[in-house]
């Protein structure tokens, strides 16, 4: 059986060069590529992806870590990351933390990631000091998505959660609402997931800018799920006078809020307006007003940024992204953070408060 070493010997190059040439990477000159292809054809060499990767000291795999794969945002991001990686010859190794601290420590601190993968993408995974220390020791390229904290030298792709929440709350204020409730994230959920803190901050900033004082009785914590939104809204209604509007920290919670309001005999938006954040796939079907965030674009862009230091030769610019200048010698300079825009999408779930 012909091996990659045989092709390298006949072409007069290293096995790593053969691997790069047969993968079509631009780091090989045209003349060398022709010589390698001719040698491979002469020896009837069939390319083995795994052998090609190992010849260059690579696994051909990227680790992607998510808090809970069942959530819409995480699933959407992972799907687009995997698509981008596969187009460039890389496989995805998924680590789903599932809300378990033991799994988190095993994956981020004790798992031999540096032996299994060539790079790491962390999706909305808050990091403790011990996590950062362990990931830094791996000495692998990485990118974080929608994370409040990161690893030194790793770029982050995210939205401005504070600004998104301000926009959602301001939309309700502009409609004339003043008694606006907020369904926020559970601080004990998602292994210290912090997005809900930024969204609460934006909600409170918008209220204060309008001359209103945030009312703790209108702020309920729950899980980032439909059931979490249902439970939180039921708790809000049990506290007494219902709000005229609800800003939910995500669309799934907003969907649960609408369900609970209807079960209580309240109409949306005639009695209570509801808005979320995400632009979930079902938001349009349900007529939910929301702040649309580019979930798929965050995954696609994170993969695009990561593929450059992996030497895949991906050079096409990402739509809307300002090209990152290169340092001397052509080494890429990755940005510390790339913030993608969000936009207000007004549908049927928000309207001015009805006159009493």
């Amino acid at each position: 059986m012909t091996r990659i070493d045989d092709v390298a010997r006949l072409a007069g190059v290293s096995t790593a060069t053969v691997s790069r040439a047969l993968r079509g990477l631009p780091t090989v000159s045209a003349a060398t590529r022709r010589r390698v292809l001719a040698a491979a054809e002469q020896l009837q060499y069939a390319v083995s992806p795994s052998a090609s990767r190992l010849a260059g000291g690579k696994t051909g795999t990227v680790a992607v870590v998510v808090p809970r794969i069942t959530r819409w945002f995480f699933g959407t991001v992972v799907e687009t990351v995997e698509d981008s990686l596969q187009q460039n010859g890389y496989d995805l190794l998924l680590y789903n933390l599932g809300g378990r601290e033991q799994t988190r420590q095993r994956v981020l601190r004790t798992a031999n990631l540096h032996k299994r993968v060539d790079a790491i993408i962390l999706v909305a995974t808050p990091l403790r000091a011990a996590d950062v220390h362990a990931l830094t020791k791996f000495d692998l390229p990485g990118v974080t998505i929608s994370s409040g904290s990161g690893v030194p030298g790793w770029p982050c792709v995210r939205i401005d959660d504070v600004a998104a929440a301000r926009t959602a709350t301001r939309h309700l204020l502009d409609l004339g609402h003043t008694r606006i409730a907020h369904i926020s994230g559970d601080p004990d959920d998602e292994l210290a997931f912090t997005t809900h803190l930024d969204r609460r901050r934006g909600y409170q900033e918008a209220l204060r800018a309008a001359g209103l004082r945030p009312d703790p009785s209108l702020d309920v914590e729950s899980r980032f799920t439909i059931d979490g939104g249902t439970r939180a809204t039921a708790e809000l209604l049990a506290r007494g006078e219902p709000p005229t509007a609800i800003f939910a920290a995500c669309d799934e919670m907003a969907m649960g809020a609408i369900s609970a309001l209807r079960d209580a005999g309240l109409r949306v938006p005639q009695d209570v307006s509801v808005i979320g954040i995400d632009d979930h796939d079902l938001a349009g079907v349900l007529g939910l007003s929301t702040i649309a965030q580019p979930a798929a674009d965050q995954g696609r862009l994170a993969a695009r940024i990561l593929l450059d230091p992996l030497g895949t030769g991906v050079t096409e610019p990402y739509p809307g992204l300002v090209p990152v200048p290169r340092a001397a010698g052509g080494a890429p300079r990755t940005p510390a953070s790339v913030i993608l825009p969000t936009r207000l999408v007004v549908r049927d779930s928000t309207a001015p408060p009805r006159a009493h």
Side-chain angles (χ1 to χ4, degrees), residues 12-13 18-19 56 90 120 145 176 241 259 274 285 294 297 307 324 328 330 355:
V13 297
V18 172
S19 174
Y90 277 82
I120 306 171
I145 300 176
E241 180 186 356
S259 176
V274 178
V285 176
D297 284 356
L307 288 168
V324 180

Side-chain angles (χ1 to χ4, degrees), residues 76-273:
T76 301
V77 167
V78 168
E79 182 178 11
T80 55
V81 167
E82 183 174 33
D83 182 61
S84 296
L85 292 177
Q86 288 185 346
Q87 289 182 29
N88 288 277
Y90 277 82
D91 295 322
L92 180 148
L93 179 59
L94 178 66
Y95 287 95
N96 177 34
L97 301 184
R100 296 177 292 272
E101 177 62 21
Q102 185 177 6
T103 303
R104 171 203 183 99
Q105 292 189 21
R106 179 180 62 81
V107 171
L108 298 181
R109 303 180 197 175
T110 60
N112 293 321
L113 285 180
H114 61 295
K115 296 181 181 179
R116 300 178 182 178
V117 300
D118 299 329
I120 306 171
I121 296 178
L122 300 178
V123 185
T125 305
L127 300 174
R128 300 188 175 100
D131 302 328
V132 174
H133 177 71
L135 290 169
T136 302
K137 286 181 63 178
F138 289 156
D139 194 28
L140 292 173
V143 178
T144 62
I145 300 176
S146 186
S147 296
S149 59
V151 180
W154 289 20
C156 177
V157 178
R158 63 184 181 89
I159 65 168
D160 187 333
D161 286 293
V162 176
R166 274 200 306 263
T167 300
T169 309
R170 201 159 46 226
H171 169 63
L172 298 174
L173 290 165
D174 290 344
L175 288 173
H177 295 278
T178 56
R179 187 169 172 77
I180 302 172
H182 177 47
I183 301 176
S184 183
D186 183 349
D188 297 324
D189 187 27
E190 302 295 6
L191 299 172
F193 186 46
T194 58
T195 297
H196 68 283
L197 298 177
D198 288 335
R199 294 181 182 178
R200 174 185 282 133
R201 185 174 131 207
Y203 157 76
Q204 294 178 344
E205 286 182 0
L207 291 181
R208 292 192 180 99
L212 301 173
R213 178 179 299 177
D215 183 348
S217 70
L218 293 177
D219 194 331
V220 181
E221 295 175 342
S222 191
R223 292 180 178 269
F224 269 59
T225 62
I226 293 176
D227 182 63
T230 301
R231 292 175 181 272
T233 304
E235 182 179 338
L236 269 174
L237 298 178
R239 291 181 178 181
E241 180 186 356
T244 64
I246 295 175
F247 160 48
C250 75
D251 280 356
E252 288 172 89
M253 298 177 90
M255 294 172 193
I258 291 174
S259 176
L261 290 169
R262 289 174 176 166
D263 287 347
L266 295 171
R267 299 167 300 166
V268 177
Q270 294 89 340
D271 298 316
V272 182
S273 288

